[in-house]
PDB file of all heavy atoms in Angstrom:
ATOM      1  N   ASN A   1      85.171 -21.875  63.822  1.00  0.00           N
ATOM      2  CA  ASN A   1      85.678 -22.032  62.456  1.00  0.00           C
ATOM      3  C   ASN A   1      87.149 -22.441  62.435  1.00  0.00           C
ATOM      4  O   ASN A   1      87.576 -23.226  61.587  1.00  0.00           O
ATOM      5  CB  ASN A   1      85.453 -20.763  61.629  1.00  0.00           C
ATOM      6  CG  ASN A   1      86.135 -19.549  62.221  1.00  0.00           C
ATOM      7  OD1 ASN A   1      86.412 -19.499  63.418  1.00  0.00           O
ATOM      8  ND2 ASN A   1      86.408 -18.557  61.410  1.00  0.00           N
ATOM      9  N   VAL A   2      87.933 -21.935  63.395  1.00  0.00           N
ATOM     10  CA  VAL A   2      89.358 -22.295  63.473  1.00  0.00           C
ATOM     11  C   VAL A   2      89.505 -23.778  63.810  1.00  0.00           C
ATOM     12  O   VAL A   2      90.288 -24.505  63.184  1.00  0.00           O
ATOM     13  CB  VAL A   2      90.078 -21.430  64.524  1.00  0.00           C
ATOM     14  CG1 VAL A   2      91.521 -21.892  64.713  1.00  0.00           C
ATOM     15  CG2 VAL A   2      90.032 -19.964  64.123  1.00  0.00           C
ATOM     16  N   TYR A   3      88.738 -24.246  64.796  1.00  0.00           N
ATOM     17  CA  TYR A   3      88.820 -25.652  65.197  1.00  0.00           C
ATOM     18  C   TYR A   3      88.319 -26.577  64.086  1.00  0.00           C
ATOM     19  O   TYR A   3      88.917 -27.629  63.836  1.00  0.00           O
ATOM     20  CB  TYR A   3      88.018 -25.887  66.486  1.00  0.00           C
ATOM     21  CG  TYR A   3      88.505 -25.047  67.642  1.00  0.00           C
ATOM     22  CD1 TYR A   3      87.658 -24.162  68.289  1.00  0.00           C
ATOM     23  CD2 TYR A   3      89.820 -25.124  68.083  1.00  0.00           C
ATOM     24  CE1 TYR A   3      88.108 -23.376  69.341  1.00  0.00           C
ATOM     25  CE2 TYR A   3      90.279 -24.339  69.140  1.00  0.00           C
ATOM     26  CZ  TYR A   3      89.414 -23.460  69.760  1.00  0.00           C
ATOM     27  OH  TYR A   3      89.855 -22.683  70.793  1.00  0.00           O
ATOM     28  N   ILE A   4      87.248 -26.186  63.417  1.00  0.00           N
ATOM     29  CA  ILE A   4      86.703 -27.017  62.335  1.00  0.00           C
ATOM     30  C   ILE A   4      87.731 -27.152  61.208  1.00  0.00           C
ATOM     31  O   ILE A   4      87.916 -28.236  60.645  1.00  0.00           O
ATOM     32  CB  ILE A   4      85.379 -26.430  61.793  1.00  0.00           C
ATOM     33  CG1 ILE A   4      84.281 -26.498  62.854  1.00  0.00           C
ATOM     34  CG2 ILE A   4      84.942 -27.172  60.530  1.00  0.00           C
ATOM     35  CD1 ILE A   4      83.888 -27.888  63.269  1.00  0.00           C
ATOM     36  N   ARG A   5      88.410 -26.072  60.887  1.00  0.00           N
ATOM     37  CA  ARG A   5      89.411 -26.138  59.811  1.00  0.00           C
ATOM     38  C   ARG A   5      90.578 -27.056  60.207  1.00  0.00           C
ATOM     39  O   ARG A   5      91.114 -27.775  59.370  1.00  0.00           O
ATOM     40  CB  ARG A   5      89.902 -24.744  59.441  1.00  0.00           C
ATOM     41  CG  ARG A   5      88.831 -23.963  58.689  1.00  0.00           C
ATOM     42  CD  ARG A   5      89.341 -22.720  58.009  1.00  0.00           C
ATOM     43  NE  ARG A   5      88.252 -22.085  57.274  1.00  0.00           N
ATOM     44  CZ  ARG A   5      87.884 -22.402  56.049  1.00  0.00           C
ATOM     45  NH1 ARG A   5      88.513 -23.358  55.400  1.00  0.00           N
ATOM     46  NH2 ARG A   5      86.889 -21.773  55.451  1.00  0.00           N
ATOM     47  N   GLN A   6      90.956 -27.035  61.489  1.00  0.00           N
ATOM     48  CA  GLN A   6      92.012 -27.941  61.941  1.00  0.00           C
ATOM     49  C   GLN A   6      91.549 -29.398  61.856  1.00  0.00           C
ATOM     50  O   GLN A   6      92.277 -30.279  61.403  1.00  0.00           O
ATOM     51  CB  GLN A   6      92.413 -27.606  63.391  1.00  0.00           C
ATOM     52  CG  GLN A   6      93.522 -28.510  63.933  1.00  0.00           C
ATOM     53  CD  GLN A   6      94.797 -28.431  63.107  1.00  0.00           C
ATOM     54  OE1 GLN A   6      95.344 -27.358  62.921  1.00  0.00           O
ATOM     55  NE2 GLN A   6      95.261 -29.571  62.589  1.00  0.00           N
ATOM     56  N   ILE A   7      90.304 -29.629  62.282  1.00  0.00           N
ATOM     57  CA  ILE A   7      89.759 -30.985  62.253  1.00  0.00           C
ATOM     58  C   ILE A   7      89.656 -31.498  60.816  1.00  0.00           C
ATOM     59  O   ILE A   7      90.001 -32.646  60.530  1.00  0.00           O
ATOM     60  CB  ILE A   7      88.379 -31.031  62.954  1.00  0.00           C
ATOM     61  CG1 ILE A   7      88.556 -30.779  64.461  1.00  0.00           C
ATOM     62  CG2 ILE A   7      87.686 -32.371  62.723  1.00  0.00           C
ATOM     63  CD1 ILE A   7      87.257 -30.508  65.204  1.00  0.00           C
ATOM     64  N   ILE A   8      89.185 -30.644  59.897  1.00  0.00           N
ATOM     65  CA  ILE A   8      89.038 -31.092  58.510  1.00  0.00           C
ATOM     66  C   ILE A   8      90.400 -31.413  57.892  1.00  0.00           C
ATOM     67  O   ILE A   8      90.545 -32.388  57.151  1.00  0.00           O
ATOM     68  CB  ILE A   8      88.246 -30.067  57.657  1.00  0.00           C
ATOM     69  CG1 ILE A   8      87.720 -30.728  56.380  1.00  0.00           C
ATOM     70  CG2 ILE A   8      89.066 -28.864  57.287  1.00  0.00           C
ATOM     71  CD1 ILE A   8      86.743 -29.876  55.598  1.00  0.00           C
ATOM     72  N   HIS A   9      91.433 -30.648  58.229  1.00  0.00           N
ATOM     73  CA  HIS A   9      92.784 -30.950  57.741  1.00  0.00           C
ATOM     74  C   HIS A   9      93.274 -32.277  58.305  1.00  0.00           C
ATOM     75  O   HIS A   9      93.866 -33.087  57.581  1.00  0.00           O
ATOM     76  CB  HIS A   9      93.748 -29.815  58.104  1.00  0.00           C
ATOM     77  CG  HIS A   9      93.682 -28.648  57.168  1.00  0.00           C
ATOM     78  ND1 HIS A   9      94.059 -28.726  55.844  1.00  0.00           N
ATOM     79  CD2 HIS A   9      93.264 -27.370  57.370  1.00  0.00           C
ATOM     80  CE1 HIS A   9      93.880 -27.546  55.260  1.00  0.00           C
ATOM     81  NE2 HIS A   9      93.383 -26.713  56.161  1.00  0.00           N
ATOM     82  N   ASP A  10      93.005 -32.516  59.604  1.00  0.00           N
ATOM     83  CA  ASP A  10      93.402 -33.791  60.231  1.00  0.00           C
ATOM     84  C   ASP A  10      92.701 -34.965  59.548  1.00  0.00           C
ATOM     85  O   ASP A  10      93.325 -35.999  59.277  1.00  0.00           O
ATOM     86  CB  ASP A  10      93.051 -33.787  61.725  1.00  0.00           C
ATOM     87  CG  ASP A  10      93.908 -32.810  62.525  1.00  0.00           C
ATOM     88  OD1 ASP A  10      94.914 -32.304  61.976  1.00  0.00           O
ATOM     89  OD2 ASP A  10      93.563 -32.546  63.697  1.00  0.00           O
ATOM     90  N   LEU A  11      91.399 -34.819  59.254  1.00  0.00           N
ATOM     91  CA  LEU A  11      90.634 -35.898  58.623  1.00  0.00           C
ATOM     92  C   LEU A  11      91.102 -36.154  57.196  1.00  0.00           C
ATOM     93  O   LEU A  11      91.158 -37.304  56.744  1.00  0.00           O
ATOM     94  CB  LEU A  11      89.139 -35.572  58.646  1.00  0.00           C
ATOM     95  CG  LEU A  11      88.462 -35.555  60.022  1.00  0.00           C
ATOM     96  CD1 LEU A  11      87.017 -35.085  59.903  1.00  0.00           C
ATOM     97  CD2 LEU A  11      88.527 -36.926  60.679  1.00  0.00           C
ATOM     98  N   MET A  12      91.431 -35.082  56.472  1.00  0.00           N
ATOM     99  CA  MET A  12      91.922 -35.256  55.104  1.00  0.00           C
ATOM    100  C   MET A  12      93.308 -35.883  55.088  1.00  0.00           C
ATOM    101  O   MET A  12      93.603 -36.745  54.255  1.00  0.00           O
ATOM    102  CB  MET A  12      91.930 -33.903  54.383  1.00  0.00           C
ATOM    103  CG  MET A  12      90.557 -33.401  54.016  1.00  0.00           C
ATOM    104  SD  MET A  12      90.620 -31.777  53.211  1.00  0.00           S
ATOM    105  CE  MET A  12      88.881 -31.545  52.822  1.00  0.00           C
ATOM    106  N   THR A  13      94.156 -35.473  56.022  1.00  0.00           N
ATOM    107  CA  THR A  13      95.514 -36.020  56.095  1.00  0.00           C
ATOM    108  C   THR A  13      95.485 -37.514  56.386  1.00  0.00           C
ATOM    109  O   THR A  13      96.266 -38.292  55.827  1.00  0.00           O
ATOM    110  CB  THR A  13      96.329 -35.286  57.185  1.00  0.00           C
ATOM    111  OG1 THR A  13      96.392 -33.895  56.855  1.00  0.00           O
ATOM    112  CG2 THR A  13      97.743 -35.831  57.280  1.00  0.00           C
ATOM    113  N   SER A  14      94.542 -37.932  57.240  1.00  0.00           N
ATOM    114  CA  SER A  14      94.430 -39.350  57.599  1.00  0.00           C
ATOM    115  C   SER A  14      93.639 -40.151  56.558  1.00  0.00           C
ATOM    116  O   SER A  14      93.513 -41.370  56.683  1.00  0.00           O
ATOM    117  CB  SER A  14      93.769 -39.501  58.975  1.00  0.00           C
ATOM    118  OG  SER A  14      92.423 -39.050  58.933  1.00  0.00           O
ATOM    119  N   GLY A  15      93.085 -39.474  55.553  1.00  0.00           N
ATOM    120  CA  GLY A  15      92.339 -40.151  54.492  1.00  0.00           C
ATOM    121  C   GLY A  15      90.899 -40.476  54.847  1.00  0.00           C
ATOM    122  O   GLY A  15      90.207 -41.151  54.079  1.00  0.00           O
ATOM    123  N   ARG A  16      90.426 -39.985  55.966  1.00  0.00           N
ATOM    124  CA  ARG A  16      89.053 -40.282  56.376  1.00  0.00           C
ATOM    125  C   ARG A  16      88.040 -39.399  55.655  1.00  0.00           C
ATOM    126  O   ARG A  16      86.867 -39.749  55.551  1.00  0.00           O
ATOM    127  CB  ARG A  16      88.908 -40.101  57.896  1.00  0.00           C
ATOM    128  CG  ARG A  16      89.719 -41.097  58.695  1.00  0.00           C
ATOM    129  CD  ARG A  16      89.639 -40.830  60.176  1.00  0.00           C
ATOM    130  NE  ARG A  16      88.302 -41.076  60.686  1.00  0.00           N
ATOM    131  CZ  ARG A  16      87.903 -40.743  61.908  1.00  0.00           C
ATOM    132  NH1 ARG A  16      88.740 -40.141  62.735  1.00  0.00           N
ATOM    133  NH2 ARG A  16      86.670 -40.997  62.302  1.00  0.00           N
ATOM    134  N   LEU A  17      88.481 -38.256  55.169  1.00  0.00           N
ATOM    135  CA  LEU A  17      87.595 -37.327  54.473  1.00  0.00           C
ATOM    136  C   LEU A  17      88.232 -36.961  53.134  1.00  0.00           C
ATOM    137  O   LEU A  17      89.415 -36.594  53.099  1.00  0.00           O
ATOM    138  CB  LEU A  17      87.393 -36.069  55.326  1.00  0.00           C
ATOM    139  CG  LEU A  17      86.248 -35.140  54.941  1.00  0.00           C
ATOM    140  CD1 LEU A  17      84.899 -35.820  55.152  1.00  0.00           C
ATOM    141  CD2 LEU A  17      86.306 -33.864  55.784  1.00  0.00           C
ATOM    142  N   PRO A  18      87.475 -37.051  52.022  1.00  0.00           N
ATOM    143  CA  PRO A  18      88.042 -36.680  50.715  1.00  0.00           C
ATOM    144  C   PRO A  18      88.416 -35.197  50.678  1.00  0.00           C
ATOM    145  O   PRO A  18      87.771 -34.370  51.316  1.00  0.00           O
ATOM    146  CB  PRO A  18      86.896 -36.968  49.736  1.00  0.00           C
ATOM    147  CG  PRO A  18      85.937 -37.840  50.464  1.00  0.00           C
ATOM    148  CD  PRO A  18      86.083 -37.513  51.917  1.00  0.00           C
ATOM    149  N   LYS A  19      89.443 -34.882  49.917  1.00  0.00           N
ATOM    150  CA  LYS A  19      89.826 -33.484  49.744  1.00  0.00           C
ATOM    151  C   LYS A  19      88.768 -32.774  48.907  1.00  0.00           C
ATOM    152  O   LYS A  19      88.022 -33.400  48.154  1.00  0.00           O
ATOM    153  CB  LYS A  19      91.208 -33.392  49.117  1.00  0.00           C
ATOM    154  CG  LYS A  19      92.282 -33.896  50.073  1.00  0.00           C
ATOM    155  CD  LYS A  19      93.672 -33.766  49.524  1.00  0.00           C
ATOM    156  CE  LYS A  19      94.675 -34.254  50.564  1.00  0.00           C
ATOM    157  NZ  LYS A  19      96.061 -34.208  50.083  1.00  0.00           N
ATOM    158  N   GLN A  20      88.695 -31.461  49.051  1.00  0.00           N
ATOM    159  CA  GLN A  20      87.657 -30.657  48.406  1.00  0.00           C
ATOM    160  C   GLN A  20      88.304 -29.581  47.531  1.00  0.00           C
ATOM    161  O   GLN A  20      88.232 -28.392  47.830  1.00  0.00           O
ATOM    162  CB  GLN A  20      86.766 -30.010  49.475  1.00  0.00           C
ATOM    163  CG  GLN A  20      86.125 -31.020  50.410  1.00  0.00           C
ATOM    164  CD  GLN A  20      85.484 -30.378  51.627  1.00  0.00           C
ATOM    165  OE1 GLN A  20      85.686 -29.194  51.916  1.00  0.00           O
ATOM    166  NE2 GLN A  20      84.690 -31.142  52.357  1.00  0.00           N
ATOM    167  N   PRO A  21      88.970 -29.997  46.454  1.00  0.00           N
ATOM    168  CA  PRO A  21      89.670 -29.015  45.617  1.00  0.00           C
ATOM    169  C   PRO A  21      88.701 -27.985  45.044  1.00  0.00           C
ATOM    170  O   PRO A  21      87.599 -28.323  44.626  1.00  0.00           O
ATOM    171  CB  PRO A  21      90.307 -29.859  44.512  1.00  0.00           C
ATOM    172  CG  PRO A  21      89.516 -31.134  44.507  1.00  0.00           C
ATOM    173  CD  PRO A  21      89.045 -31.350  45.911  1.00  0.00           C
ATOM    174  N   GLN A  22      89.130 -26.738  45.042  1.00  0.00           N
ATOM    175  CA  GLN A  22      88.300 -25.642  44.555  1.00  0.00           C
ATOM    176  C   GLN A  22      88.746 -25.224  43.162  1.00  0.00           C
ATOM    177  O   GLN A  22      89.925 -24.939  42.933  1.00  0.00           O
ATOM    178  CB  GLN A  22      88.394 -24.456  45.523  1.00  0.00           C
ATOM    179  CG  GLN A  22      87.921 -24.770  46.937  1.00  0.00           C
ATOM    180  CD  GLN A  22      86.474 -25.202  46.971  1.00  0.00           C
ATOM    181  OE1 GLN A  22      85.578 -24.422  46.713  1.00  0.00           O
ATOM    182  NE2 GLN A  22      86.241 -26.472  47.287  1.00  0.00           N
ATOM    183  N   ARG A  23      87.789 -25.204  42.255  1.00  0.00           N
ATOM    184  CA  ARG A  23      88.101 -24.852  40.872  1.00  0.00           C
ATOM    185  C   ARG A  23      88.389 -23.363  40.732  1.00  0.00           C
ATOM    186  O   ARG A  23      89.263 -22.949  39.971  1.00  0.00           O
ATOM    187  CB  ARG A  23      86.925 -25.253  39.986  1.00  0.00           C
ATOM    188  CG  ARG A  23      87.196 -25.122  38.511  1.00  0.00           C
ATOM    189  CD  ARG A  23      86.085 -25.755  37.700  1.00  0.00           C
ATOM    190  NE  ARG A  23      86.366 -25.704  36.286  1.00  0.00           N
ATOM    191  CZ  ARG A  23      85.558 -26.181  35.362  1.00  0.00           C
ATOM    192  NH1 ARG A  23      84.426 -26.762  35.705  1.00  0.00           N
ATOM    193  NH2 ARG A  23      85.863 -26.094  34.081  1.00  0.00           N
ATOM    194  N   TYR A  24      87.626 -22.551  41.463  1.00  0.00           N
ATOM    195  CA  TYR A  24      87.803 -21.106  41.396  1.00  0.00           C
ATOM    196  C   TYR A  24      88.200 -20.604  42.777  1.00  0.00           C
ATOM    197  O   TYR A  24      87.430 -20.718  43.732  1.00  0.00           O
ATOM    198  CB  TYR A  24      86.513 -20.423  40.934  1.00  0.00           C
ATOM    199  CG  TYR A  24      86.038 -20.943  39.590  1.00  0.00           C
ATOM    200  CD1 TYR A  24      84.941 -21.800  39.506  1.00  0.00           C
ATOM    201  CD2 TYR A  24      86.709 -20.592  38.415  1.00  0.00           C
ATOM    202  CE1 TYR A  24      84.515 -22.289  38.283  1.00  0.00           C
ATOM    203  CE2 TYR A  24      86.279 -21.082  37.190  1.00  0.00           C
ATOM    204  CZ  TYR A  24      85.186 -21.926  37.130  1.00  0.00           C
ATOM    205  OH  TYR A  24      84.771 -22.410  35.914  1.00  0.00           O
ATOM    206  N   THR A  25      89.405 -20.088  42.893  1.00  0.00           N
ATOM    207  CA  THR A  25      89.900 -19.641  44.186  1.00  0.00           C
ATOM    208  C   THR A  25      91.073 -18.689  44.008  1.00  0.00           C
ATOM    209  O   THR A  25      91.793 -18.765  42.997  1.00  0.00           O
ATOM    210  CB  THR A  25      90.346 -20.851  45.047  1.00  0.00           C
ATOM    211  OG1 THR A  25      90.937 -20.381  46.265  1.00  0.00           O
ATOM    212  CG2 THR A  25      91.355 -21.732  44.319  1.00  0.00           C
ATOM    213  N   ILE A  26      91.264 -17.795  44.963  1.00  0.00           N
ATOM    214  CA  ILE A  26      92.431 -16.915  44.944  1.00  0.00           C
ATOM    215  C   ILE A  26      93.593 -17.549  45.712  1.00  0.00           C
ATOM    216  O   ILE A  26      94.664 -16.967  45.799  1.00  0.00           O
ATOM    217  CB  ILE A  26      92.102 -15.522  45.546  1.00  0.00           C
ATOM    218  CG1 ILE A  26      91.649 -15.657  46.998  1.00  0.00           C
ATOM    219  CG2 ILE A  26      91.062 -14.810  44.701  1.00  0.00           C
ATOM    220  CD1 ILE A  26      91.511 -14.307  47.707  1.00  0.00           C
ATOM    221  N   THR A  27      93.351 -18.763  46.254  1.00  0.00           N
ATOM    222  CA  THR A  27      94.386 -19.474  47.009  1.00  0.00           C
ATOM    223  C   THR A  27      94.791 -20.720  46.222  1.00  0.00           C
ATOM    224  O   THR A  27      94.071 -21.723  46.229  1.00  0.00           O
ATOM    225  CB  THR A  27      93.859 -19.894  48.402  1.00  0.00           C
ATOM    226  OG1 THR A  27      93.301 -18.763  49.045  1.00  0.00           O
ATOM    227  CG2 THR A  27      94.978 -20.482  49.247  1.00  0.00           C
ATOM    228  N   PRO A  28      95.919 -20.686  45.520  1.00  0.00           N
ATOM    229  CA  PRO A  28      96.349 -21.839  44.711  1.00  0.00           C
ATOM    230  C   PRO A  28      96.478 -23.099  45.566  1.00  0.00           C
ATOM    231  O   PRO A  28      96.984 -23.055  46.693  1.00  0.00           O
ATOM    232  CB  PRO A  28      97.720 -21.395  44.168  1.00  0.00           C
ATOM    233  CG  PRO A  28      97.694 -19.899  44.238  1.00  0.00           C
ATOM    234  CD  PRO A  28      96.862 -19.559  45.429  1.00  0.00           C
ATOM    235  N   GLY A  29      96.002 -24.215  45.024  1.00  0.00           N
ATOM    236  CA  GLY A  29      96.127 -25.490  45.727  1.00  0.00           C
ATOM    237  C   GLY A  29      95.162 -25.669  46.884  1.00  0.00           C
ATOM    238  O   GLY A  29      95.332 -26.587  47.690  1.00  0.00           O
ATOM    239  N   ARG A  30      94.142 -24.840  46.965  1.00  0.00           N
ATOM    240  CA  ARG A  30      93.187 -24.950  48.071  1.00  0.00           C
ATOM    241  C   ARG A  30      92.443 -26.285  48.004  1.00  0.00           C
ATOM    242  O   ARG A  30      91.886 -26.643  46.979  1.00  0.00           O
ATOM    243  CB  ARG A  30      92.200 -23.786  47.999  1.00  0.00           C
ATOM    244  CG  ARG A  30      91.168 -23.786  49.110  1.00  0.00           C
ATOM    245  CD  ARG A  30      90.270 -22.581  49.010  1.00  0.00           C
ATOM    246  NE  ARG A  30      89.114 -22.728  49.885  1.00  0.00           N
ATOM    247  CZ  ARG A  30      88.104 -21.865  49.919  1.00  0.00           C
ATOM    248  NH1 ARG A  30      88.118 -20.797  49.151  1.00  0.00           N
ATOM    249  NH2 ARG A  30      87.091 -22.062  50.720  1.00  0.00           N
ATOM    250  N   GLU A  31      92.449 -27.004  49.125  1.00  0.00           N
ATOM    251  CA  GLU A  31      91.844 -28.337  49.170  1.00  0.00           C
ATOM    252  C   GLU A  31      90.679 -28.438  50.141  1.00  0.00           C
ATOM    253  O   GLU A  31      90.144 -29.523  50.363  1.00  0.00           O
ATOM    254  CB  GLU A  31      92.905 -29.373  49.547  1.00  0.00           C
ATOM    255  CG  GLU A  31      93.997 -29.510  48.502  1.00  0.00           C
ATOM    256  CD  GLU A  31      95.045 -30.532  48.872  1.00  0.00           C
ATOM    257  OE1 GLU A  31      95.325 -30.676  50.079  1.00  0.00           O
ATOM    258  OE2 GLU A  31      95.576 -31.179  47.950  1.00  0.00           O
ATOM    259  N   VAL A  32      90.280 -27.311  50.714  1.00  0.00           N
ATOM    260  CA  VAL A  32      89.138 -27.283  51.635  1.00  0.00           C
ATOM    261  C   VAL A  32      88.078 -26.365  51.053  1.00  0.00           C
ATOM    262  O   VAL A  32      88.365 -25.229  50.671  1.00  0.00           O
ATOM    263  CB  VAL A  32      89.558 -26.799  53.038  1.00  0.00           C
ATOM    264  CG1 VAL A  32      88.344 -26.689  53.949  1.00  0.00           C
ATOM    265  CG2 VAL A  32      90.575 -27.754  53.648  1.00  0.00           C
TER     266      VAL A  32
END
């Protein structure tokens, strides 16, 4: 899970994967 979260951040930063904003979350600005 730690490696997957790093990979998903890398893919989103490079624009290869769309961000996944969460409507309901206790973490403001969550994009995964």
Side-chain angles (χ1 to χ4, degrees):
N1 60 336
V2 174
Y3 301 122
I4 294 296
R5 288 194 177 275
Q6 180 59 56
I7 292 168
I8 198 170
H9 279 294
D10 291 348
L11 292 174
M12 287 178 176
T13 300
S14 66
R16 294 176 67 190
L17 195 66
K19 292 183 178 178
Q20 303 168 348
Q22 300 300 292
R23 188 170 183 180
Y24 303 106
T25 175
I26 60 171
T27 308
R30 181 178 168 186
E31 295 180 327
V32 176

